[in-house]
Amino acid sequence: MKSVYCFFTERKSSDDLFLPFFRISVSLFFLIHFLAVIPDFAALYSREGIIPADLGELFSHYFVPTLSSFSALLYSWFHLEEATSLSIFQGLYITCCLTLLIGFCSRASAILLFILHTILISGAHLYSYGVDMFTTIMMFYCCVFPLGADKSIDKHFFYRNREVNPTQYRRLLQIHICLVYWASGLGKIVGYNWWNGEAIWKALHLPFIHGTDAVSYDVLGEYPLLSLLIGWGTVLIELLYPLFIWKKPWKNIWLALVIMMHLGIILALNLYFFSTLMIIFNLSAFLNLENKKEDIQAQGAGDSDAVVRNRRPVFVTWALVHIVMILFVCVYSVFDDYDAFYHGNKKDYKRPVALERVQSVLGIPILADYLRFAGIDTGYGFFAPNVASAYVIDFRLMNQEGQVVKSQYLPELKSGESVVRFGTLLGNFQRKLKLMEKGENKKGLYGRYLDALVKAMGQSILKQNQQADVSTVKAVLYMYSYPSLKEITLEKREKKLIPLDSFTVVKKAPLVLNNID
């Protein structure tokens, strides 16, 4: 046990600038990421949005505040309209990012930003995707770490005569990211589509990925070995990450490989924010951040240093428990995904008792809430063990004669990040396919909820198209099927849209009150 404490607490010169680097990079990312969705903020999160906030928040966790509750609170206190409340929310969010960036009241800024982030992401869960899991993790650590201890305004007020050891905090981040890549690689290695190249091919041809419109990947169809090698390379880079990232001869090489992998995701899939955050995660964890301008040994030791030293076992003990929880959830998620992928579609399927018991343990209220708010309530099997099916909705705007005036697959969105979030919303219809297979599409609550989502989207499309000759929208839900890599080699190149369901949405007539004599 002593060696474990030494591993966490023995200060390394390469960690000197970890705390300011982590604070500045994360706060900048949060600021830019938030600004990217502001042009479509009302469309995504208001009561008059693509999905009305009250409907979108219906299956949110009871303990998680939402934007609707935030707006309702301001209305009850100050009688502010929703638009004003959303503007106040945006102002608070941006202000917290800026104060955290300069290190002014760092912990208070991080805690308030964490609350605002939880309201935005967890309350509007339909739009959440992989990047939101990691933003939750990063902001949770911002609340825990003493980020104002160096290169900040707080340094001159709260840490003037105190020395903070950054190594113990960086160790937690390092172990966490090792578990992230190990679990992701393990999840992929059990999926056969990662070994035959199909996973890479399918991911590159998902709808709503702008890159596939501008770049042709036919070369992968002509040379399937390339997809095979990319798939194997991805699995090996992730799976072996915890082994090589700690070894000095391999550390920089593996760090470069991971960064190149995420740059490839940016270029191929246009997942700018997800990949950028993962690069920040990697650099924060393993980049050499030695401060050569200061003599670390000359910094004050004194009584305050003794206080910090006495607090180390408390942090290390919590960190070890936190790491065990991450590992436990990761292993459970890999086995659960494997079982669902290979056995979940069988008619006589029964979930293993062991998985049921583990799920019941993870569902204990206090534990579940901690895992959720720490961002570690689910595994990291991105596109594993298989790339999930994609769904699109064809919104056909029709006139009173039943003729199609216009057809579109997206509402009018102004930013690429908003388009990615809309694509995430459509990913929820994977559940609809499973309900249809069981014959429970129209019976269960969630099936009817998904139908209500489509109708709400149809009403939003109607509002965006106020032409007098448009009276209805026919929304047709399709499963998007692109030819497999094997089919491409056989010259079968036509994509398929497999119809699953259709809905007719009528424009709501304005309320007219007749004069009463």
Side-chain angles (χ1 to χ4, degrees):
M1 183 60 70
K2 186 177 180 181
S3 60
V4 174
Y5 277 100
C6 290
F7 172 76
F8 270 89
T9 60
E10 184 178 348
R11 182 164 184 165
K12 303 294 183 182
S13 60
S14 59
D15 303 333
D16 293 343
L17 297 176
F18 163 67
L19 292 174
F21 180 87
F22 186 71
R23 187 193 76 243
I24 294 170
S25 59
V26 170
S27 57
L28 267 178
F29 176 86
F30 266 72
L31 178 61
I32 296 171
H33 190 209
F34 184 72
L35 291 175
V37 298
I38 279 188
D40 300 305
F41 198 84
L44 294 175
Y45 302 111
S46 74
R47 289 191 178 95
E48 300 296 324
I50 299 169
I51 301 296
D54 295 336
L55 180 62
E57 296 165 358
L58 188 59
F59 282 87
S60 296
H61 193 264
Y62 74 96
F63 193 68
V64 177
T66 64
L67 269 174
S68 292
S69 59
F70 177 82
S71 299
L73 182 66
L74 292 185
Y75 182 80
S76 64
W77 285 359
F78 307 108
H79 299 286
L80 298 178
E81 297 297 329
E82 184 189 31
T84 306
S85 298
L86 294 182
S87 297
I88 292 174
F89 182 91
Q90 294 172 13
L92 283 173
Y93 198 103
I94 293 171
T95 300
C96 289
C97 289
L98 293 175
T99 54
L100 184 60
L101 175 65
I102 63 177
F104 177 69
C105 296
S106 302
R107 179 153 287 159
S109 298
I111 291 173
L112 182 54
L113 186 56
F114 178 79
I115 294 171
L116 295 173
H117 175 74
T118 302
I119 290 173
L120 184 65
I121 300 304
S122 300
H125 62 94
L126 292 173
Y127 295 118
S128 296
Y129 69 107
V131 69
D132 300 316
M133 178 196 304
F134 287 102
T135 50
T136 300
I137 291 169
M138 299 295 246
M139 194 47 57
F140 177 80
Y141 287 144
C142 284
C143 296
V144 174
F145 297 169
L147 297 182
D150 194 14
K151 304 294 186 293
S152 66
I153 295 176
D154 289 346
K155 172 72 174 177
H156 303 287
F157 294 96
F158 307 113
Y159 297 92
R160 182 176 295 179
N161 298 315
R162 291 174 58 191
E163 178 189 357
V164 173
N165 177 11
T167 298
Q168 56 187 339
Y169 305 105
R170 199 179 197 190
R171 285 285 187 254
L172 174 57
L173 202 71
Q174 290 170 335
I175 296 173
H176 194 156
I177 196 171
C178 285
L179 291 175
V180 166
Y181 283 114
W182 172 78
S184 181
L186 188 63
K188 291 179 174 67
I189 203 172
V190 300
Y192 56 83
N193 281 338
W194 279 96
W195 292 105
N196 59 21
E198 288 289 354
I200 295 296
W201 177 257
K202 189 174 181 179
L204 290 173
H205 292 90
L206 290 172
F208 307 122
I209 300 298
H210 291 185
T212 58
D213 295 331
V215 180
S216 172
Y217 296 102
D218 288 348
V219 64
L220 298 180
E222 296 173 4
Y223 302 98
L225 182 61
L226 292 176
S227 293
L228 200 70
L229 293 176
I230 294 172
W232 289 0
T234 301
V235 171
L236 292 177
I237 288 172
E238 293 184 344
L239 194 62
L240 299 178
Y241 185 95
L243 177 64
F244 287 99
I245 200 65
W246 297 98
K247 298 181 181 295
K248 285 187 177 180
W250 290 93
K251 177 180 176 181
N252 290 334
I253 295 174
W254 224 258
L255 195 59
L257 287 173
V258 171
I259 290 174
M260 286 191 293
M261 180 180 73
H262 287 295
L263 290 175
I265 292 174
I266 290 176
L267 295 175
L269 302 180
N270 275 17
L271 295 176
Y272 299 103
F273 290 105
F274 172 78
S275 291
T276 300
L277 186 60
M278 293 308 298
I279 291 172
I280 290 173
F281 203 162
N282 278 276
L283 295 179
S284 297
F286 289 105
L287 183 67
N288 185 352
L289 297 173
E290 182 178 359
N291 188 1
K292 298 180 180 180
K293 294 183 180 180
E294 295 183 6
D295 184 6
I296 301 301
Q297 296 178 351
Q299 293 183 359
D303 295 336
S304 60
D305 185 45
V307 173
V308 174
R309 194 180 301 117
N310 290 335
R311 291 173 58 186
R312 284 174 179 168
V314 177
F315 175 81
V316 173
T317 302
W318 168 80
L320 290 173
V321 173
H322 187 74
I323 290 166
V324 170
M325 290 181 184
I326 297 171
L327 179 60
F328 187 76
V329 172
C330 286
V331 173
Y332 162 73
S333 296
V334 169
F335 280 101
D336 190 42
D337 291 342
Y338 174 86
D339 179 69
F341 180 65
Y342 286 101
H343 307 291
N345 293 326
K346 295 180 180 179
K347 291 183 179 180
D348 56 347
Y349 168 74
K350 289 185 179 180
R351 198 159 181 250
V353 176
L355 293 178
E356 292 284 356
R357 290 179 177 176
V358 172
Q359 186 180 28
S360 64
V361 171
L362 295 176
I364 296 173
I366 296 177
L367 177 60
D369 290 334
Y370 175 83
L371 296 176
R372 184 178 296 105
F373 287 115
I376 58 174
D377 58 328
T378 186
Y380 306 103
F382 302 111
F383 289 158
N386 183 39
V387 179
S389 299
Y391 300 85
V392 298
I393 301 177
D394 181 11
F395 297 100
R396 302 170 186 173
L397 285 79
M398 308 176 73
N399 58 23
Q400 294 181 352
E401 287 74 30
Q403 298 173 331
V404 177
V405 177
K406 181 182 177 182
S407 182
Q408 62 186 78
Y409 289 94
L410 283 169
E412 294 179 5
L413 297 170
K414 300 174 183 177
S415 76
E417 177 65 4
S418 301
V419 173
V420 172
R421 293 195 176 277
F422 182 77
T424 303
L425 165 64
L426 296 181
N428 289 278
F429 288 94
Q430 180 73 25
R431 291 272 299 273
K432 186 177 183 68
L433 183 62
K434 293 182 179 180
L435 291 172
M436 292 176 66
E437 291 172 349
K438 296 179 181 179
E440 301 175 356
N441 181 30
K442 304 296 182 180
K443 298 178 183 178
L445 176 62
Y446 201 80
R448 287 179 288 167
Y449 175 66
L450 292 174
D451 292 349
L453 293 181
V454 178
K455 294 175 182 178
M457 285 185 258
Q459 286 292 345
S460 176
I461 296 290
L462 279 172
K463 290 178 183 177
Q464 292 178 350
N465 295 270
Q466 295 292 342
Q467 299 96 327
D469 57 342
V470 174
S471 60
T472 60
V473 166
K474 185 176 182 180
V476 184
L477 174 66
Y478 295 99
M479 184 171 70
Y480 180 88
S481 177
Y482 198 83
S484 67
L485 194 59
K486 183 177 180 180
E487 290 174 331
I488 285 292
T489 59
L490 298 175
E491 300 298 326
K492 297 179 180 179
R493 298 176 179 269
E494 292 298 323
K495 65 182 179 182
K496 299 177 182 177
L497 293 176
I498 303 171
L500 299 178
D501 209 342
S502 64
F503 307 85
T504 300
V505 182
V506 181
K507 182 183 293 186
K508 291 181 180 179
L511 180 63
V512 178
L513 296 177
N514 295 323
N515 293 329
I516 301 176
D517 295 332

